[in-house]
Amino acid sequence: MKTAELRLASDAQLVVAIGRFRHDALSEVYRRHAPAAFGLARRIVGDGALAEEVVQEVFLRLWNLPDRFDAARGSLRTYVLTQTHGRSVDVIRAEAARRAREERDARMTSEGSYDLEREVWDLTQAEHVRHALGLLSEGERRAIELAYFGGHTYREVAVLLGEPEGTVKSRIRSGLSRLRDALVESGMAGPWHES
């Protein structure tokens, strides 16, 4: 079959010629059916560039696997449009999965960086608190550690230290005041006033 005769050939004859590696037969099938395939792909995927890729893949598949077309099951146009529809749906699913993956990765990255920043801030604060605790007297530090870090009441701290409850309260109050001043001086806390 000569190139000029391809314009008059049936779709089935063109597919046979494609099976014999006739590029001109594929060009004729493309001329006949690509506009309808592109229109369908564009309606489904909503993007011209993606629609062009879908059509290219459909015709490349026809070139590589011409025996997949069965004239007894329907026309070549129906076959091409069915392939286009299926590939378009695959593209939409792949794009949705890609977007979901990117959004998830972005969330994890932003949450991860937030956690890292928060962790650095927490470590910095802890270091300043440790330093400020080091400035307190042994009695103040022990009373504050037992009350605030150990979760004990004033009475329990007094029993644990073997000291009067009034002395423990006084040490905690003066220790907290000195602790506050040290943290304000280090920039970790703003100045505040007792009423």
Side-chain angles (χ1 to χ4, degrees), residues 96-171:
R98 181 189 59 77
R99 278 195 301 276
R101 191 172 48 253
E102 287 175 354
E103 289 171 6
R104 184 182 63 246
D105 290 347
R107 271 195 315 274
M108 289 174 70
T109 301
S110 68
E111 289 170 3
S113 66
Y114 172 77
D115 289 343
L116 180 61
E117 290 172 15
R118 188 73 192 160
E119 188 173 335
V120 168
W121 175 251
D122 289 345
L123 289 171
T124 303
Q125 282 184 316
E127 184 57 38
H128 282 285
V129 170
R130 266 193 296 278
H131 174 73
L133 281 170
L135 300 175
L136 303 180
S137 71
E138 178 66 26
E140 291 170 333
R141 185 174 51 257
R142 262 322 266 144
I144 289 173
E145 286 173 348
L146 289 170
Y148 287 94
F149 302 127
H152 297 286
T153 64
Y154 289 132
R155 183 167 293 149
E156 291 169 338
V157 172
V159 169
L160 288 169
L161 293 177
E163 309 225 353
E165 191 176 331
T167 302
V168 167
K169 284 183 181 179
S170 174
R171 285 184 182 164

Side-chain angles (χ1 to χ4, degrees), residues 52-127:
E52 287 176 9
E53 287 180 28
V54 166
V55 172
Q56 280 183 333
E57 287 181 34
V58 167
F59 281 92
L60 181 62
R61 187 172 194 181
L62 179 62
W63 174 256
N64 290 325
L65 303 165
D67 55 328
R68 290 273 178 104
F69 169 67
D70 182 1
R73 295 180 67 193
S75 70
L76 184 57
R77 179 177 286 262
T78 300
Y79 174 80
V80 167
L81 292 178
T82 300
Q83 294 294 311
T84 301
H85 181 271
R87 185 62 195 125
S88 297
V89 170
D90 289 345
V91 166
I92 288 174
R93 286 182 184 146
E95 284 294 306
R98 181 189 59 77
R99 278 195 301 276
R101 191 172 48 253
E102 287 175 354
E103 289 171 6
R104 184 182 63 246
D105 290 347
R107 271 195 315 274
M108 289 174 70
T109 301
S110 68
E111 289 170 3
S113 66
Y114 172 77
D115 289 343
L116 180 61
E117 290 172 15
R118 188 73 192 160
E119 188 173 335
V120 168
W121 175 251
D122 289 345
L123 289 171
T124 303
Q125 282 184 316
E127 184 57 38

